[in-house]
């Protein structure tokens, strides 16, 4: 459970009035009777039937809904204010944890249990207990952690079922490939044999070869959608699929990227029609010396000073002083792209000068018109505050 130590999650709290509540079999709190408007805590009652406690069970959805109720109540009790749209909450490490079970002891006689793969229950020795804000907070955090554990169990099950239905795994495909390579080229068989041994050791990890979209559909409340991103067997993965996955990951993590594919406009416009090359032909094309030298060519241009001007990029990002090139920190809206030494003491004059120099992401000395955004707000590109029209700032594009 150490993976949850620093995780946070946003939940949508639901307001709770001061009242007596019952705990439904699915774990949700149900209001039973309104109490006089006092600062007394609500009381929660476990549902009973014929003097036998009904089991209180959770899935990931009811766990999140109940957590929203509890954390929303605690927030309102402490602040006496209306609830914000979302609350950022830290997950809670279980009191005890092993290979098959996790337990959160919320207070004496009140425990939240998880038993792999999908069993989650709340157990109590009492029929009623006082729902204090502290208890509501602990319970809410534990329920959010439980929801994350149940989601993970669902993800693992989805991977396993899809791999089983496909009838093959990634390790099978790679092992077959190494066998064919060993037969084709005896010179590399020792290395390939070592690869096979490594694959065997990593069998449990490599069995996760599936379509990730199925996981996304099964868990629509995951924090990051992976729709349209696929992991396919090596026999069916094309260079266009690989380019799509690489581009998705690069965009996700802000990595500037340039790739050649047969869909690139320059190749498609001047030499080939899209889809004209088979995968085998594409591999022959990219294995040529001319294409293989492309990375070296780019590195040489950078070394000769004809590539990217990194100093200019740092200044454009507001990370390097636009006058003396000293490293600076802070938002452009605060620094105006200057270090503390170069920033004029008169901040109004400093902002006017910065705006007149132009948007840092544009070539310098482009003027106020190079900024983008609504007058009176901030430039949508660089973050510099833009003057209102009444300030004589002129039209903004």
């Amino acid at each position: 459970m150490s993976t949850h130590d620093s995780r946070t999650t946003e939940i949508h709290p639901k307001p709770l009035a001061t009242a007596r509540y019952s705990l439904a079999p699915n774990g949700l709190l149900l209001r039973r009777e309104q109490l006089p408007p006092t600062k007394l805590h609500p009381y929660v009652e476990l549902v009973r039937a014929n003097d036998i406690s009904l089991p209180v069970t959770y899935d990931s959805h009811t766990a999140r809904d109940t957590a929203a109720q509890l954390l929303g109540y605690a927030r309102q009790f402490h602040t006496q204010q209306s609830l914000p749209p979302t609350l950022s909450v830290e997950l809670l490490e279980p009191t005890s944890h092993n290979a098959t079970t996790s337990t959160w002891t919320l207070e004496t006689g009140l425990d939240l249990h998880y038993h792999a793969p999908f069993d989650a229950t709340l157990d109590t020795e009492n029929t009623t207990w006082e729902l204090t804000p502290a208890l509501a907070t602990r319970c809410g955090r534990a329920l959010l952690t439980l929801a994350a554990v149940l989601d993970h169990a669902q993800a693992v099950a989805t991977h396993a079922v899809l791999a089983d239905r496909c009838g093959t795994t990634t390790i099978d495909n790679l092992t077959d490939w190494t066998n064919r390579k060993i037969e084709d080229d005896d010179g590399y068989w020792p290395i390939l044999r070592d690869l096979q041994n490594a694959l065997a050791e990593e069998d449990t990890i490599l069995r996760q070869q599936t379509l990730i979209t199925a996981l996304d559909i099964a868990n629509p409340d995951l924090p990051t959608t992976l729709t349209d991103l696929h992991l396919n067997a090596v026999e069916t993965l094309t260079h266009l699929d690989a380019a799509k996955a690489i581009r998705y990951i690069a965009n996700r993590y802000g990595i500037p990227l340039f790739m050649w594919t047969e869909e690139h406009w320059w190749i498609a416009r001047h030499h080939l029609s899209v889809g004209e090359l088979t995968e085998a032909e594409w591999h022959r094309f990219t294995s040529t010396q001319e294409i293989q030298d492309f990375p070296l060519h780019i590195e040489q241009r950078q070394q000769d000073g004809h590539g990217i001007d990194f100093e200019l990029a740092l200044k454009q990002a507001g990370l390097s002083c636009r006058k003396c090139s000293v490293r600076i920190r802070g938002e452009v809206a605060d620094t105006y792209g200057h270090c503390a030494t170069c920033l004029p003491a008169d901040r109004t004059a400093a902002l006017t000068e910065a705006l007149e120099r132009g948007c840092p992401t544009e070539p310098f000395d482009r003027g106020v018109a190079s900024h983008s955004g609504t007058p009176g707000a901030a430039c949508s590109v660089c973050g510099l505050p833009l003057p209102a029209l009444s300030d004589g700032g002129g039209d903004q594009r």
Side-chain angles (χ1 to χ4, degrees), residues 240 258-270 272 274 282:
L240 296 178
F258 180 89
M259 291 188 299
W260 286 114
T261 70
E262 65 173 293
E263 291 182 332
H264 191 279
W265 69 270
W266 184 265
I267 297 178
R269 176 180 177 182
H270 294 280
L272 298 168
V274 176
W282 173 258

Side-chain angles (χ1 to χ4, degrees), residues 143-163:
L143 285 169
L144 286 178
T145 312
L146 174 65
V149 172
L150 290 170
D151 277 343
H152 179 70
Q154 180 66 37
V156 172
T158 302
H159 280 301
V161 170
L162 291 179

Side-chain angles (χ1 to χ4, degrees), residues 267-310:
I267 297 178
R269 176 180 177 182
H270 294 280
H271 306 285
L272 298 168
S273 299
V274 176
E276 181 178 338
L277 297 181
T278 65
E279 279 300 298
E281 290 172 333
W282 173 258
H283 282 288
R284 281 164 44 196
F285 169 68
T286 56
S287 298
T288 60
Q289 191 66 44
E290 184 68 21
I291 301 301
Q292 289 293 312
D293 283 344
F294 174 71
L296 297 177
H297 175 67
I298 296 300
E299 288 183 6
Q300 186 63 49
R301 286 182 60 86
Q302 186 66 46
Q303 185 176 345
D304 293 343
H306 301 298
I308 298 174
D309 187 338
F310 287 102

